[in-house]
Amino acid sequence: MDERARRFQLCKPCLDRHGGRPELTLATDQGECFICGGRSGGLGEVSKKTVRALGRFEFRTFSVGVVLPSGIQEREDTLRSELKIRGGETIKSEFAGRLAAAVVKGMRGKKVDRLHPDATVLADIGGGTVSVSSKPLFVYGNYTKPRGVSQRRLFCEVCNGRGCESCVGSGYSASPSVEGLVSKRLGELLGSERFKFTWFGSEDEDSVVFPPGRPVVIEAKSPRTRHPPGELRLKTGIGGITLSRVRAIAKQSEHPAFSFITRAVIGAEEKVTEDDVKRLQKDMKGATVRYRNNKGRLVAKKIYFVKATARGKRITAEIKLDGGLPVKRLVSGEAVSPSFSESVGKPLRCERFDIVRVWTKARR
Ligand SMILES: [Zn+2]
Ligand SMILES: [Zn+2]
């Protein structure tokens, strides 16, 4: 028999998909289908699983992807190339379409969106398993924190992040952090297991962040629900963390610009005079300060004002400045110029700084 005249027996769905062609006939036993071996008939169970798995997610639009048992796609490709079939539906697109139809029929108000779906289903036809992931949710909020709580989660002191017995495999320290506690609570509320925090600057563990708080954008990966609460109140054991003005936003800003007011307690080695403080305020008003960032690049930032008082060897200063400029280095003058030490003419050291207010420059 000539290669071109090869005939194929197909099941009903596979035959219908390829239309009427003399080389194709209906198999008496559906399990004899050249392409699918009878798999096309048995999507009922996977359809049910798909609807059930999606039911655990809050979504409006979705898309379905399909993993076929090995050989099916290859055999259909063989048939299509031998019969010179181009375009039209493939078994993969047909399966995906049938599963999507089951979702539209079985759940209210759901729509297919292949480009930007809220939820993505992956159905493994051979294994009979269905997994769902959802698009990330970006949450914006302002946090406040007490002294002694770190901003970021710290690595476990024993294993340094690798995971060990003492950290129960998490790799993280048990000491309280904004990132750790907010992740835990948001995880419970949104049904998300992974978060990515984008901070608008940082402070020390012993800095207080006062209300209204420092902004943060939190990306929740594959959340089940898409409506964050308006506010979180979390206990740390040494004072509360709040996350307020919480809301879902359209997108994350990768390089958040901001300015802030900090209240710094500064120590000097000798007595600081009223004249020192007056000169400091005058020098720093509207000053452009240059420093090397941690990538070694020279960066210019603005100081808006300094309001300072001196008592003995100590200065208390309220400073408004651009975000990114490290407060401790601005005071000491370490690779920063002009600095407070430079202006006062005495070596100074920032003992502590609290965050009074943060303004973002992004339009939100
Ligand atoms: Zn078939
Ligand atoms: Zn550990």
Side-chain angles (χ1 to χ4, degrees):
M1 195 162 74
D2 174 13
E3 187 69 22
R4 288 281 154 74
R6 185 169 167 191
R7 305 181 86 81
F8 298 93
Q9 293 206 331
L10 301 179
C11 70
K12 185 76 170 54
C14 289
L15 187 65
D16 287 350
R17 192 168 62 248
H18 290 101
R21 282 174 179 268
E23 303 90 340
L24 303 176
T25 52
L26 184 65
T28 25
D29 178 355
Q30 302 291 284
E32 299 280 291
C33 173
F34 171 77
I35 296 173
C36 74
R39 290 274 188 183
S40 295
L43 281 189
E45 199 50 45
V46 181
S47 297
K48 273 187 220 153
K49 278 187 186 167
T50 302
V51 172
R52 218 180 302 137
L54 274 171
R56 291 195 282 268
F57 284 79
E58 180 185 339
F59 70 101
R60 200 175 60 78
T61 60
F62 71 102
S63 76
V64 179
V66 162
V67 178
L68 293 172
S70 68
I72 290 187
Q73 196 159 357
E74 292 79 355
R75 288 196 294 277
E76 186 174 60
D77 287 348
T78 304
L79 179 147
R80 285 165 64 92
S81 85
E82 286 194 21
L83 302 185
K84 299 196 163 37
I85 299 171
R86 281 193 195 86
E89 204 172 20
T90 63
I91 186 163
K92 205 166 185 170
S93 62
E94 189 195 322
F95 278 19
R98 278 161 66 188
L99 293 178
V103 172
V104 170
K105 190 159 169 272
M107 303 176 89
R108 237 167 212 283
K110 308 302 182 192
K111 259 177 57 187
V112 172
D113 180 343
R114 286 188 187 85
L115 288 181
H116 304 289
D118 296 335
T120 303
V121 180
L122 191 64
D124 181 339
I125 304 299
T129 57
V130 173
S131 62
V132 178
S133 64
S134 67
K135 73 175 178 192
L137 176 71
F138 294 99
V139 176
Y140 178 95
N142 288 61
Y143 73 87
T144 63
K145 76 168 196 68
R147 221 177 286 297
V149 170
S150 64
Q151 179 192 49
R152 289 162 211 240
R153 242 180 338 186
L154 305 173
F155 284 130
C156 165
E157 299 84 349
V158 180
C159 67
N160 202 25
R162 255 169 289 135
C164 68
E165 238 172 80
S166 108
C167 61
V168 211
S170 74
Y172 290 110
S173 158
S175 61
S177 67
V178 174
E179 183 180 13
L181 289 161
V182 168
S183 295
K184 186 164 180 288
R185 178 66 64 82
L186 273 187
E188 292 157 6
L189 293 169
L190 298 175
S192 178
E193 282 165 17
R194 283 185 305 127
F195 295 92
K196 187 179 162 228
F197 285 65
T198 300
W199 306 98
F200 289 72
S202 60
E203 63 280 334
D204 280 358
E205 187 173 324
D206 70 350
S207 301
V208 177
V209 178
F210 288 105
R214 187 192 285 282
V216 58
V217 173
I218 306 159
E219 178 184 351
K221 312 268 191 186
S222 198
R224 290 185 196 278
T225 64
R226 311 196 71 85
H227 290 89
E231 187 175 271
L232 297 182
R233 287 174 178 280
L234 306 163
K235 293 195 176 95
T236 69
I238 46 174
I241 291 173
T242 61
L243 187 71
S244 59
R245 300 174 65 211
V246 183
R247 57 200 188 274
I249 57 166
K251 213 180 148 275
Q252 174 186 30
S253 43
E254 281 296 340
H255 299 288
F258 64 98
S259 58
F260 66 111
I261 290 181
T262 181
R263 195 175 297 131
V265 177
I266 298 163
E269 280 163 25
E270 50 195 284
K271 191 177 172 343
V272 182
T273 66
E274 277 305 310
D275 283 349
D276 290 339
V277 158
K278 273 188 194 143
R279 194 168 56 252
L280 174 67
Q281 292 182 156
K282 190 166 157 287
D283 286 353
M284 287 294 152
K285 193 174 172 59
T288 298
V289 167
R290 288 185 170 75
Y291 75 103
R292 291 217 177 266
N293 67 11
N294 50 19
K295 287 177 186 124
R297 239 187 48 210
L298 202 59
V299 181
K301 297 282 181 183
K302 195 173 168 189
I303 309 291
Y304 298 88
F305 64 74
V306 173
K307 288 179 197 159
T309 53
R311 177 178 283 181
K313 292 181 182 176
R314 178 160 287 175
I315 301 172
T316 306
E318 203 163 274
I319 313 157
K320 184 177 179 186
L321 68 164
D322 274 340
L325 181 53
V327 176
K328 288 187 162 172
R329 283 169 52 192
L330 168 67
V331 171
S332 67
E334 182 200 330
V336 176
S337 183
S339 69
F340 282 22
S341 291
E342 218 175 308
S343 168
V344 171
K346 293 174 178 132
L348 301 175
R349 202 174 66 84
C350 178
E351 290 168 2
R352 198 175 74 208
F353 66 100
D354 294 331
I355 305 301
V356 177
R357 177 133 204 195
V358 183
W359 292 267
T360 63
K361 293 181 177 175
R363 289 154 274 123
R364 291 197 186 287

